Amino acid sequence: MAIELKIKVSAVSKAVGKPFENLYIKTLRGFFEEITRLTLFTFRFFKELVKPPYEVNEFLKQAYLIGYKSIPLVVITGFIMGLVLTIQSRPTLVEFGAESWLPAMVAISIIREIGPVITALIFAGKVGSGIGAELASMKATEQIDAMEVSGINPFKYLVVTRIAAATIMLPVLVILADAVSLYGAYVGVNLKGDVSFHLFFLEVFAKLSFTDVLPAIIKTFFFGFAVGSIGCYRGYHASQGTEGVGVASNAAVVQGSLTIFILDMVVVQITSLFI
Amino acid sequence: MEIVAEVNRITKSFDNREVLKGIDFKIEKGENLVVFGKSGSGKSVLIKCMAGLLSPDDGEVIMLGEKIADLETHELNIIRKRIGFLFQSGALYDSMTVRENLEFPLRDLNQSKKDEIDSLVVEALENVGLKDAIDKMPSELSGGMRKRIGLARTLILKPEIILYDEPTTGLDPITSKEISELILDIQKKYNAASVIITHDVECARITANRMVIIKEGVVVAAGTFQELSKSSDQWVRSFFS
């Protein structure tokens, strides 16, 4: 009786376990297939990037749309970022009698980490979703096919220009956001204190070093590349129909943001080996 | 007569569903061939295989003497410039004006030939009767106008073969008739061969020199409009009643 029951339990658990097992395998396989496709997409970008003819005009247009048009958003968020960080940090520093360290501490936080990461996340939300939705809707309305049958390489015209523009424009936006953010910090310091503009920035630059600035700027090229390539990949390979546009746009933001955090973690680990 | 396009026994499947099951036909220079059939019979897949947008699983497509499957990308692009494709929706580029849409296929021409490009754009728009729409955005155009502009963009490179994917779908009967007559005018003016995918009987009646009817991925009947409309096969005849 006991043996029979054991066999039955084992059969039931096998029957129940198998669909889950299959689901895990399917999910895992899907994940690796997606990574492979994205990698091949990235390789194709580099291949098409160096091959003439070069779509200079479209690149400049995208740089304008991606970079220049993002300036108001980046400036506002950058200013608030610096202001809030300063207001929040002050009480703790005051408690330890280290209020004079406020400009330097805020500056290092902004330049090394908060400026690049927050700006990249905003960039992923605005630019990544925009690229994903635009390309997906072009695909749904057969505009990409129309380019192809006209004898024009749509990958070069649409994808290469957007990824290149995102890669180059994000670092520029981060530098701008850092500058505005430091100004926000200066305003924050002066809400409850009286520090001159000159003295504030003297404090900031006295504590900032080359090793704070350079890795932070370099990693933003990778962030920009990730946002651009994921947005383009999602849009270019979107499923047909309006549902595909929403899915592509959403996936571009979610995966772009996640990739920014993962890249940041890797860069911080690498940087910490040398600094 | 000179054969400009051949489709030889092509098959195409999607996820174990066989859409095309060995289709054969040839098109002569200056001829309008209407491919007729119910929705979902594989007509659009067929025309996309002819344009090289989809690769057939088996069989071959020969356009202007070149096997599409054997061509390198740059060779295919050269052939594509000699083939026009009018999409069901017109497929105008949303972010560009009508002028920019029409100039787009001419990008490879030297920019110093600006006057030549301008005259080609105006000529193409005059052919479809929409010269005044030159500076409009696609969002400002009606469905019929979008199709006409799409056709003007197709004509700008003076193609030798034009592929029409459901040119009258979604249009009112009057606009449909205008588009069908436009296709006929273009045939006379450019002497281009055309493959017209449609399930609109009136469009087929106006434009067809010859027709093939597709059912479940195979050609079940071929002939002129008059021959097929009097076919002994009731299923074929049912399209025309």
Side-chain angles (χ1 to χ4, degrees), chain A residues 119-155:
Chain A
T119 310
L121 290 175
I122 291 163
F123 191 76
K126 184 183 181 291
V127 173
S129 67
I131 291 174
E134 186 188 11
L135 295 191
S137 102
M138 285 185 81
K139 186 163 188 203
T141 52
E142 296 178 307
Q143 292 175 52
I144 293 179
D145 284 346
M147 257 179 215
E148 208 165 336
V149 295
S150 303
I152 288 151
N153 182 347
F155 192 94

Side-chain angles (χ1 to χ4, degrees), chain A residues 53 55 58 61 134 137-138 141-153 157 240, chain B residues 48 51 53 77 80-81 83 85 87-89 91-96 104-105 107 153 165:
Chain A
E55 301 285 355
E58 181 60 14
K61 184 184 166 191
E134 186 188 11
S137 102
M138 285 185 81
T141 52
E142 296 178 307
Q143 292 175 52
I144 293 179
D145 284 346
M147 257 179 215
E148 208 165 336
V149 295
S150 303
I152 288 151
N153 182 347
Y157 186 80
Q240 296 283 9
Chain B
K48 284 185 177 172
L53 288 172
N77 285 341
R80 277 171 167 164
K81 288 193 186 293
I83 302 169
F85 195 122
F87 287 86
Q88 202 169 333
S89 59
L92 300 181
Y93 308 125
D94 290 337
S95 58
M96 300 180 193
F104 196 76
R107 298 163 76 250
R153 190 178 64 188
D165 188 7

Side-chain angles (χ1 to χ4, degrees), chain B residues 29 46 49 74 77 94 113 118 136 155 180-181 202 211:
Chain B
K29 190 174 171 64
L46 169 68
C49 287
H74 69 277
N77 285 341
D94 290 337
K113 295 179 178 171
D118 283 345
K136 287 191 173 166
L155 293 175
S180 303
E181 282 166 354
E202 190 58 13
M211 289 177 72

Side-chain angles (χ1 to χ4, degrees), chain A residues 9-70:
Chain A
V9 168
S10 142
V12 168
S13 66
K14 262 187 189 169
V16 172
K18 205 161 186 184
F20 282 106
E21 201 177 294
N22 287 344
L23 190 69
Y24 290 139
I25 291 169
K26 208 175 162 186
T27 310
L28 209 62
R29 186 184 294 160
F31 173 75
F32 283 114
E33 278 174 2
E34 200 65 17
I35 295 288
T36 309
R37 278 195 288 266
L38 183 58
T39 310
L40 292 174
F41 188 83
T42 310
F43 281 140
R44 189 175 170 196
F45 162 77
F46 286 112
K47 195 179 139 196
E48 301 275 8
L49 179 71
V50 293
K51 208 166 66 179
Y54 305 108
E55 301 285 355
V56 179
N57 287 342
E58 181 60 14
F59 165 75
L60 292 174
K61 184 184 166 191
Q62 289 306 321
Y64 168 78
L65 293 173
I66 288 172
Y68 183 75
K69 291 273 184 180
S70 302

Side-chain angles (χ1 to χ4, degrees), chain A residues 77-78 81 113-124 223 260-261:
Chain A
T77 49
M81 204 160 62
E113 195 58 36
I114 296 171
V117 173
I118 300 284
T119 310
L121 290 175
I122 291 163
F123 191 76
F223 292 168
I260 287 166
F261 281 117

